[in-house]
mmCIF file of all heavy atoms in Angstrom:
data_model
loop_
_atom_site.group_PDB
_atom_site.id
_atom_site.type_symbol
_atom_site.label_atom_id
_atom_site.label_comp_id
_atom_site.label_asym_id
_atom_site.label_seq_id
_atom_site.Cartn_x
_atom_site.Cartn_y
_atom_site.Cartn_z
ATOM 1 N N VAL A 147 4.039 24.386 -14.967
ATOM 2 C CA VAL A 147 4.569 23.129 -14.434
ATOM 3 C C VAL A 147 5.103 23.347 -13.017
ATOM 4 O O VAL A 147 4.906 22.494 -12.128
ATOM 5 C CB VAL A 147 5.647 22.540 -15.379
ATOM 6 C CG1 VAL A 147 6.447 21.431 -14.684
ATOM 7 C CG2 VAL A 147 4.985 21.988 -16.631
ATOM 8 N N GLU A 148 5.761 24.471 -12.787
ATOM 9 C CA GLU A 148 6.228 24.801 -11.422
ATOM 10 C C GLU A 148 5.057 24.773 -10.447
ATOM 11 O O GLU A 148 5.184 24.240 -9.337
ATOM 12 C CB GLU A 148 6.861 26.190 -11.395
ATOM 13 C CG GLU A 148 8.242 26.302 -11.964
ATOM 14 C CD GLU A 148 8.745 27.747 -11.957
ATOM 15 O OE1 GLU A 148 8.184 28.608 -11.232
ATOM 16 O OE2 GLU A 148 9.696 28.024 -12.691
ATOM 17 N N ARG A 149 3.948 25.342 -10.833
ATOM 18 C CA ARG A 149 2.767 25.377 -9.960
ATOM 19 C C ARG A 149 2.236 23.961 -9.704
ATOM 20 O O ARG A 149 1.855 23.641 -8.582
ATOM 21 C CB ARG A 149 1.679 26.236 -10.571
ATOM 22 C CG ARG A 149 1.988 27.702 -10.537
ATOM 23 C CD ARG A 149 0.877 28.512 -11.122
ATOM 24 N NE ARG A 149 1.224 29.924 -11.079
ATOM 25 C CZ ARG A 149 0.394 30.882 -11.389
ATOM 26 N NH1 ARG A 149 -0.834 30.613 -11.781
ATOM 27 N NH2 ARG A 149 0.772 32.139 -11.321
ATOM 28 N N GLU A 150 2.208 23.142 -10.751
ATOM 29 C CA GLU A 150 1.715 21.778 -10.569
ATOM 30 C C GLU A 150 2.657 20.977 -9.673
ATOM 31 O O GLU A 150 2.207 20.177 -8.857
ATOM 32 C CB GLU A 150 1.533 21.092 -11.924
ATOM 33 C CG GLU A 150 0.461 21.713 -12.784
ATOM 34 C CD GLU A 150 -0.885 21.883 -12.096
ATOM 35 O OE1 GLU A 150 -1.290 21.008 -11.296
ATOM 36 O OE2 GLU A 150 -1.559 22.904 -12.348
ATOM 37 N N ARG A 151 3.939 21.214 -9.816
ATOM 38 C CA ARG A 151 4.903 20.543 -8.939
ATOM 39 C C ARG A 151 4.702 20.965 -7.481
ATOM 40 O O ARG A 151 4.827 20.156 -6.563
ATOM 41 C CB ARG A 151 6.338 20.852 -9.391
ATOM 42 C CG ARG A 151 6.742 20.174 -10.669
ATOM 43 C CD ARG A 151 7.234 18.761 -10.366
ATOM 44 N NE ARG A 151 7.445 17.986 -11.553
ATOM 45 C CZ ARG A 151 8.639 17.802 -12.124
ATOM 46 N NH1 ARG A 151 9.704 18.388 -11.623
ATOM 47 N NH2 ARG A 151 8.724 17.040 -13.177
ATOM 48 N N ALA A 152 4.414 22.231 -7.272
ATOM 49 C CA ALA A 152 4.145 22.714 -5.909
ATOM 50 C C ALA A 152 2.881 22.043 -5.362
ATOM 51 O O ALA A 152 2.853 21.644 -4.183
ATOM 52 C CB ALA A 152 3.977 24.238 -5.898
ATOM 53 N N ARG A 153 1.845 21.892 -6.186
ATOM 54 C CA ARG A 153 0.631 21.177 -5.760
ATOM 55 C C ARG A 153 0.970 19.742 -5.376
ATOM 56 O O ARG A 153 0.458 19.215 -4.383
ATOM 57 C CB ARG A 153 -0.392 21.132 -6.900
ATOM 58 C CG ARG A 153 -1.299 22.305 -7.004
ATOM 59 C CD ARG A 153 -2.245 22.180 -8.191
ATOM 60 N NE ARG A 153 -3.220 21.104 -8.032
ATOM 61 C CZ ARG A 153 -3.902 20.596 -9.045
ATOM 62 N NH1 ARG A 153 -3.741 21.024 -10.294
ATOM 63 N NH2 ARG A 153 -4.776 19.641 -8.845
ATOM 64 N N GLN A 154 1.824 19.109 -6.164
ATOM 65 C CA GLN A 154 2.229 17.737 -5.870
ATOM 66 C C GLN A 154 2.937 17.657 -4.522
ATOM 67 O O GLN A 154 2.648 16.772 -3.702
ATOM 68 C CB GLN A 154 3.139 17.196 -6.971
ATOM 69 C CG GLN A 154 2.453 16.964 -8.294
ATOM 70 C CD GLN A 154 3.415 16.601 -9.400
ATOM 71 O OE1 GLN A 154 4.401 15.881 -9.177
ATOM 72 N NE2 GLN A 154 3.159 17.108 -10.599
ATOM 73 N N ARG A 155 3.845 18.578 -4.283
ATOM 74 C CA ARG A 155 4.590 18.572 -3.010
ATOM 75 C C ARG A 155 3.660 18.792 -1.812
ATOM 76 O O ARG A 155 3.783 18.121 -0.786
ATOM 77 C CB ARG A 155 5.693 19.648 -3.029
ATOM 78 C CG ARG A 155 6.915 19.246 -3.850
ATOM 79 C CD ARG A 155 8.084 20.216 -3.631
ATOM 80 N NE ARG A 155 7.750 21.591 -3.989
ATOM 81 C CZ ARG A 155 7.844 22.084 -5.222
ATOM 82 N NH1 ARG A 155 8.227 21.327 -6.222
ATOM 83 N NH2 ARG A 155 7.547 23.354 -5.465
ATOM 84 N N ARG A 156 2.733 19.761 -1.960
ATOM 85 C CA ARG A 156 1.795 20.015 -0.868
ATOM 86 C C ARG A 156 0.945 18.786 -0.572
ATOM 87 O O ARG A 156 0.732 18.418 0.584
ATOM 88 C CB ARG A 156 0.899 21.212 -1.195
ATOM 89 C CG ARG A 156 1.586 22.553 -1.045
ATOM 90 C CD ARG A 156 0.607 23.727 -1.118
ATOM 91 N NE ARG A 156 -0.197 23.739 -2.330
ATOM 92 C CZ ARG A 156 0.147 24.344 -3.467
ATOM 93 N NH1 ARG A 156 1.306 24.981 -3.540
ATOM 94 N NH2 ARG A 156 -0.639 24.328 -4.527
ATOM 95 N N ALA A 157 0.454 18.145 -1.618
ATOM 96 C CA ALA A 157 -0.387 16.960 -1.425
ATOM 97 C C ALA A 157 0.416 15.832 -0.806
ATOM 98 O O ALA A 157 -0.035 15.191 0.148
ATOM 99 C CB ALA A 157 -0.996 16.530 -2.755
ATOM 100 N N ARG A 158 1.615 15.598 -1.307
ATOM 101 C CA ARG A 158 2.471 14.528 -0.759
ATOM 102 C C ARG A 158 2.746 14.764 0.720
ATOM 103 O O ARG A 158 2.810 13.808 1.498
ATOM 104 C CB ARG A 158 3.805 14.452 -1.487
ATOM 105 C CG ARG A 158 3.763 13.601 -2.728
ATOM 106 C CD ARG A 158 5.165 13.513 -3.358
ATOM 107 N NE ARG A 158 5.144 12.734 -4.547
ATOM 108 C CZ ARG A 158 5.371 11.433 -4.596
ATOM 109 N NH1 ARG A 158 5.654 10.768 -3.494
ATOM 110 N NH2 ARG A 158 5.335 10.778 -5.743
ATOM 111 N N ALA A 159 2.925 16.017 1.098
ATOM 112 C CA ALA A 159 3.215 16.321 2.499
ATOM 113 C C ALA A 159 2.038 15.966 3.399
ATOM 114 O O ALA A 159 2.229 15.663 4.590
ATOM 115 C CB ALA A 159 3.545 17.804 2.646
ATOM 116 N N CYS A 160 0.837 15.937 2.874
ATOM 117 C CA CYS A 160 -0.361 15.629 3.664
ATOM 118 C C CYS A 160 -0.651 14.137 3.738
ATOM 119 O O CYS A 160 -1.436 13.694 4.595
ATOM 120 C CB CYS A 160 -1.581 16.334 3.070
ATOM 121 S SG CYS A 160 -1.499 18.119 3.178
ATOM 122 N N VAL A 161 -0.054 13.344 2.860
ATOM 123 C CA VAL A 161 -0.353 11.906 2.795
ATOM 124 C C VAL A 161 -0.021 11.170 4.097
ATOM 125 O O VAL A 161 -0.867 10.417 4.592
ATOM 126 C CB VAL A 161 0.321 11.253 1.561
ATOM 127 C CG1 VAL A 161 0.237 9.734 1.638
ATOM 128 C CG2 VAL A 161 -0.309 11.769 0.289
ATOM 129 N N PRO A 162 1.171 11.316 4.677
ATOM 130 C CA PRO A 162 1.468 10.523 5.889
ATOM 131 C C PRO A 162 0.464 10.741 7.028
ATOM 132 O O PRO A 162 0.022 9.781 7.673
ATOM 133 C CB PRO A 162 2.866 11.005 6.290
ATOM 134 C CG PRO A 162 3.466 11.506 5.027
ATOM 135 C CD PRO A 162 2.320 12.121 4.260
ATOM 136 N N LYS A 163 0.090 11.981 7.264
ATOM 137 C CA LYS A 163 -0.882 12.271 8.322
ATOM 138 C C LYS A 163 -2.249 11.649 8.012
ATOM 139 O O LYS A 163 -2.880 11.047 8.879
ATOM 140 C CB LYS A 163 -1.010 13.783 8.514
ATOM 141 C CG LYS A 163 -1.919 14.179 9.650
ATOM 142 C CD LYS A 163 -1.958 15.698 9.792
ATOM 143 C CE LYS A 163 -2.887 16.117 10.916
ATOM 144 N NZ LYS A 163 -2.932 17.586 11.040
ATOM 145 N N ALA A 164 -2.689 11.778 6.768
ATOM 146 C CA ALA A 164 -3.969 11.200 6.374
ATOM 147 C C ALA A 164 -3.938 9.677 6.512
ATOM 148 O O ALA A 164 -4.915 9.067 6.953
ATOM 149 C CB ALA A 164 -4.318 11.607 4.944
ATOM 150 N N LEU A 165 -2.810 9.062 6.162
ATOM 151 C CA LEU A 165 -2.673 7.607 6.307
ATOM 152 C C LEU A 165 -2.689 7.197 7.782
ATOM 153 O O LEU A 165 -3.320 6.200 8.121
ATOM 154 C CB LEU A 165 -1.378 7.138 5.653
ATOM 155 C CG LEU A 165 -1.416 6.929 4.148
ATOM 156 C CD1 LEU A 165 -0.021 6.679 3.600
ATOM 157 C CD2 LEU A 165 -2.350 5.792 3.782
ATOM 158 N N ARG A 166 -1.982 7.936 8.634
ATOM 159 C CA ARG A 166 -1.968 7.614 10.055
ATOM 160 C C ARG A 166 -3.374 7.665 10.650
ATOM 161 O O ARG A 166 -3.799 6.755 11.378
ATOM 162 C CB ARG A 166 -1.065 8.579 10.825
ATOM 163 C CG ARG A 166 0.393 8.214 10.831
ATOM 164 C CD ARG A 166 1.200 9.010 11.842
ATOM 165 N NE ARG A 166 1.015 10.453 11.775
ATOM 166 C CZ ARG A 166 1.641 11.264 10.936
ATOM 167 N NH1 ARG A 166 2.525 10.776 10.079
ATOM 168 N NH2 ARG A 166 1.421 12.564 10.961
#
Side-chain angles (χ1 to χ4, degrees):
V147 165
E148 284 176 17
R149 289 181 180 187
E150 295 308 323
R151 288 276 171 99
R153 274 179 67 198
Q154 291 173 37
R155 284 191 300 275
R156 284 191 304 270
R158 274 184 181 269
C160 295
V161 169
K163 184 178 179 181
L165 279 171
R166 276 193 309 277

